[in-house]
Amino acid sequence: MSTCADHARPSVLKAKDYKSDIKPVWCPGCGDFGVLNAITKALAALALPREQVAFVSGIGCSSRIPAYSSVYGFHGVHGRALPVATGLAVSRPDLTVLAAGGDGDGFSIGGNHFLHACRRNVNMTYLVMDNAVYGMTKGQASPTTEPDWTGSQLTPEGPGLAQFQPLEIALSAGAPYIARCFSGNPNGLAKLISEALQFPGFAFIQVLSPCVTYRPEQKDYKKIVHPDFEATGDRREAFLQLMDDDGFTTGVLYRADRPAFRPEQAKAADLDTIEQQFRVA
Ligand SMILES: Cc1ncc(C[n+]2csc(CCOP(=O)(O)OP(=O)(O)O)c2C)c(N)n1
Ligand code: SF4
């Protein structure tokens, strides 16, 4: 069986070298193709050795992405990409850790992990391919679905719930790097991913990534997205920008100089010490 290390070459790798031989099963036109292209472009631009990159995901159409990449991958459990990625980043600070998944994976079942990853600020990059729907389980509403979306038979009148606001929540929870991009702009997204991978802390990118099967109207995203965020390190300014945001503004919103959680901070006390604390005299 070959491993990434077997393939490691001193020569410069191209974007296609970061793709695996597995053909994606995504629907033709799915936005996630653009995300895969952007990630491989970013890895090539940074000339990262494949055996030094770890790519972790949960479950969903989008979460299949590590299988289509030729770096070390972990395709895990629905909503649990971040705990795995956190453990990896803390125990192996020499690796470049990338976590990815969908809006259902990251903001519903994985929502609690998202909040704490933002505040914990471990050095990793987290990409959420947001299509405002559960693609893999055939089109149910997700946390980012509009309250009046009537496309699911489970919620024929629309989910009727306020939308989860990924950028606002990330900012509130303390994430030091927050950006949004569109999968139809792989060059722009590749630039953002390169920057995020080099950022020394938790970098979160919401990627608007159309589900052409269950949300065909999202094909119009290319007409709706617009560049505008002015990267700031001032939380108040970032919140003010979000107050005027229509959900389709792209670019880096927030980049703060906040020290990342260091591996040595994660050292647990040894068992004897813990036992002594609880010993009944
Ligand atoms: C614990 C658990 N709950 C539910 C599921 C079923 N499930 C698989 S994928 C998925 C939703 C995927 O949606 P999203 O994360 O938005 O990704 P997409 O498929 O849209 O890319 C669900 C609910 C599961 N696999 N495991
Ligand atoms: S169902 Fe939607 S998210 Fe899943 S592969 Fe098809 S287009 Fe992409």
Side-chain angles (χ1 to χ4, degrees):
M1 194 183 76
S2 66
T3 67
C4 291
D6 298 331
H7 296 295
R9 293 184 295 269
S11 58
V12 176
L13 297 174
K14 297 200 173 63
K16 67 176 173 50
D17 298 319
Y18 291 93
K19 285 190 183 168
S20 75
D21 296 335
I22 302 171
K23 198 170 170 289
V25 293
W26 292 321
C27 309
C30 174
D32 297 347
F33 283 102
V35 181
L36 178 62
N37 287 339
I39 290 171
T40 55
K41 275 172 199 260
L43 295 175
L46 297 175
L48 285 171
R50 291 182 296 187
E51 70 278 12
Q52 283 174 21
V53 181
F55 197 174
V56 182
S57 70
I59 298 287
C61 297
S62 42
S63 288
R64 291 181 188 271
I65 201 163
Y68 306 142
S69 317
S70 178
V71 293
Y72 279 108
F74 188 100
H75 187 186
V77 179
H78 190 47
R80 297 295 178 270
L82 287 176
V84 173
T86 301
L88 196 54
V90 166
S91 57
R92 288 288 306 274
D94 55 311
L95 297 179
T96 297
V97 178
L98 180 58
D103 39 290
D105 186 85
F107 304 143
S108 190
I109 190 169
N112 187 34
H113 299 296
F114 178 57
L115 290 181
H116 295 287
C118 291
R119 63 182 271 271
R120 190 169 287 124
N121 190 21
V122 166
N123 184 19
M124 68 168 107
T125 295
Y126 182 40
L127 292 180
V128 175
M129 286 165 256
D130 191 351
N131 52 18
V133 75
Y134 284 3
M136 183 174 259
T137 50
K138 299 191 182 302
Q140 300 84 18
S142 88
T144 52
T145 301
E146 306 85 317
D148 58 354
W149 180 68
T150 54
S152 167
Q153 289 172 10
L154 283 181
T155 49
E157 308 288 324
L161 298 172
Q163 282 169 272
F164 188 95
Q165 302 292 343
L167 272 53
E168 285 179 34
I169 289 162
L171 192 58
S172 304
Y177 181 101
I178 301 170
R180 183 189 287 137
C181 202
F182 170 47
S183 64
N185 175 12
N187 287 335
L189 181 55
K191 238 178 107 191
L192 270 189
I193 296 172
S194 312
E195 185 179 292
L197 289 173
Q198 293 175 90
F199 180 80
F202 183 74
F204 166 59
I205 305 178
Q206 179 195 19
V207 187
L208 303 173
S209 184
C211 173
V212 292
T213 299
Y214 297 107
R215 305 291 317 252
E217 73 280 12
Q218 291 179 346
K219 288 180 194 158
D220 281 345
Y221 274 4
K222 55 179 168 302
K223 296 186 202 145
I224 303 171
V225 292
H226 53 93
D228 241 345
F229 281 137
E230 284 195 22
T232 175
D234 184 306
R235 283 178 91 217
R236 190 168 181 278
E237 267 176 35
F239 273 118
L240 287 175
Q241 290 194 64
L242 287 177
M243 293 300 103
D244 295 330
D245 173 38
D246 59 0
F248 294 94
T249 317
T250 57
V252 178
L253 169 76
Y254 185 65
R255 199 192 288 109
D257 185 12
R258 195 185 137 207
F261 184 87
R262 285 173 289 110
E264 52 272 30
Q265 288 173 268
K267 277 212 177 107
D270 67 87
L271 274 182
D272 286 343
T273 316
I274 295 172
E275 205 190 322
Q276 268 169 26
Q277 274 179 2
F278 291 97
R279 190 166 291 156
V280 181

